[in-house]
Amino acid sequence: MGMLSPLPVRDGVGATRLHVPLRGEWPTVAAYMIERFFHLDPEGLLSRFDRGEIVARDGRPLARDTPLGAEEFIWYYRDPPVETRMPVEIEVLHQDEDLVVIDKPHFLPTIPGGRFLQNSALVRLRNLLDNPELAPIHRLDRATAGILMFSARPATRGRYQLLFETRQVQKVYEAVSARPTDWDASRFPLVYRNHIVKLRNELKVQVDDEREPNAETLIDVIDADERVVHTLLRPHSGKMHQLRVHLAALGLGILNDPFYPQLTGEHPDDFDHPMQLLARELHFVDPLSGAPRVFTTTRTLQEAPLSGA
């Protein structure tokens, strides 16, 4: 079990924990923080101690002269990044005392990170439902839209997380790709497998053809026209960027995918041209009631052929 924060969730965001050395050349906890966060204004940091915003494990506010060694862990709220509200909205599809299911829009990350804080599905949902205990049970890429499931309370969270860990949840996705010049629909349905590796500090995942496959997707065609191919995807595993990598390997790189097959570099979000990947359905047997459950998106992919399903 991780250490519980003595500070409550604020504006949908939890406090940050910092490990402070018990010995060193710093006379105070504040002096250590001033050196650690050298990019911040020292007086501004000290004033946060004076306002009681930096606390010990038991929630006691620390003073600017608290000596080094008095506390090994401290908690504080990070200054939030300056954010403009993203012009996309979440839609709550289901809510009960244990589960909340939303339709996540493209561009919104599942959890806070980097420059995205209020612009994350988790923080928006906590604020919308006034429930600081909400936590995602699985993740969707920021660029992917569709069904995303959250635990509403810690007491039953593990039961639902176990479904994903033991692959008892059937996931169905849709994607739209540019039609290749050598398009051959007779190849489908097919199962594609490879070995995907995520390296630290790398944006893209790597494929290792020498190793036993660890990623598997059943791919079928919903429809195609002279311009695009609309596919149905059933991943058996849940590796990072799996569907994007598998389609790209088949010559069906997803429309508007900035990573695969080619990394296009950092660009501002183009809200009119989202990546054409959608988490369409989740199927599972509820671990609490034993009843089968299905959640289905209300969204569609804008580049799909008009005659498609």
Side-chain angles (χ1 to χ4, degrees), residues 98-110:
D98 300 294
L99 282 183
V100 177
V101 182
I102 69 165
D103 234 343
K104 186 185 87 65
H106 298 282
F107 301 106
L108 199 67
T110 299

Side-chain angles (χ1 to χ4, degrees), residues 7-306:
L7 294 173
V9 169
R10 186 172 76 180
D11 296 329
V13 182
T16 295
R17 186 184 76 190
L18 177 67
H19 179 261
V20 180
L22 294 174
R23 290 180 295 278
E25 68 263 29
W26 309 276
T28 62
V29 172
Y32 169 75
M33 289 187 74
I34 286 169
E35 185 173 315
R36 168 80 182 262
F37 302 112
F38 60 88
H39 56 287
L40 298 179
D41 169 42
E43 272 309 313
L45 194 52
L46 289 171
S47 69
R48 295 181 70 175
F49 279 92
D50 298 341
R51 293 196 300 268
E53 294 178 1
I54 298 173
V55 306
R57 186 172 181 174
D58 60 2
R60 281 179 298 107
L62 301 179
R64 63 164 69 194
D65 61 356
T66 298
L68 192 79
E71 300 295 337
E72 186 175 4
F73 293 97
I74 62 174
W75 276 260
Y76 64 97
Y77 294 110
R78 287 188 183 184
D79 286 332
V82 177
E83 290 182 275
T84 302
R85 184 177 172 85
M86 216 180 267
V88 295
E89 299 299 332
I90 59 175
E91 180 185 355
V92 177
L93 300 178
H94 171 86
Q95 182 180 0
D96 61 39
E97 67 176 6
D98 300 294
L99 282 183
V100 177
V101 182
I102 69 165
D103 234 343
K104 186 185 87 65
H106 298 282
F107 301 106
L108 199 67
T110 299
I111 60 172
R115 68 186 192 275
F116 304 104
L117 188 63
Q118 294 297 326
N119 281 320
S120 66
L122 175 61
V123 173
R124 282 209 189 172
L125 196 59
R126 280 177 172 174
N127 290 333
L128 179 68
L129 302 181
D130 192 24
N131 180 359
E133 294 192 325
L134 281 165
I137 299 173
H138 62 119
R139 308 277 177 90
L140 287 180
D141 288 347
R142 188 168 90 82
T144 305
I147 297 294
L148 183 58
M149 209 158 77
F150 292 80
S151 161
R153 60 191 187 112
T156 55
R157 185 165 300 153
R159 303 279 295 278
Y160 289 100
Q161 287 172 332
L162 192 61
L163 291 178
F164 285 87
E165 291 168 13
T166 55
R167 296 182 181 175
Q168 294 181 65
V169 179
Q170 284 75 52
K171 306 174 191 175
V172 183
Y173 290 75
E174 292 180 32
V176 180
S177 311
R179 178 176 171 142
T181 51
D182 60 349
W183 170 242
D184 178 8
S186 67
R187 298 169 64 199
F188 298 87
L190 61 80
V191 173
Y192 191 86
R193 300 180 183 89
N194 65 6
H195 191 99
I196 291 175
V197 181
K198 175 65 174 79
L199 301 176
R200 274 189 79 165
N201 302 321
E202 291 286 335
L203 289 173
K204 296 176 67 172
V205 300
Q206 308 296 316
V207 173
D208 187 342
D209 292 326
E210 301 299 312
R211 297 173 68 181
E212 194 71 23
N214 64 355
E216 177 180 306
T217 310
L218 174 62
I219 303 170
D220 204 354
V221 175
I222 297 173
D223 198 7
D225 61 17
E226 67 284 348
R227 188 179 61 89
V228 296
V229 177
H230 188 189
T231 49
L232 187 73
L233 312 161
R234 297 178 185 271
H236 179 63
S237 47
K239 295 299 178 185
M240 183 175 178
H241 296 173
Q242 173 177 323
L243 303 178
R244 299 159 71 169
V245 169
H246 285 182
L247 284 174
L250 293 168
L252 291 170
I254 299 172
L255 283 176
N256 307 326
D257 185 346
F259 282 21
Y260 307 95
Q262 294 300 129
L263 191 63
T264 60
E266 191 75 28
H267 296 289
D269 289 334
D270 183 349
F271 295 104
D272 293 327
H273 297 92
M275 185 176 75
Q276 295 297 283
L277 180 61
L278 178 65
R280 175 165 133 172
E281 296 167 20
L282 285 179
H283 302 244
F284 60 94
V285 174
D286 191 284
L288 305 182
S289 68
R293 302 186 86 161
V294 180
F295 296 109
T296 305
T297 185
T298 62
R299 298 176 185 271
T300 57
L301 292 172
Q302 65 186 40
E303 299 289 350
L306 293 177

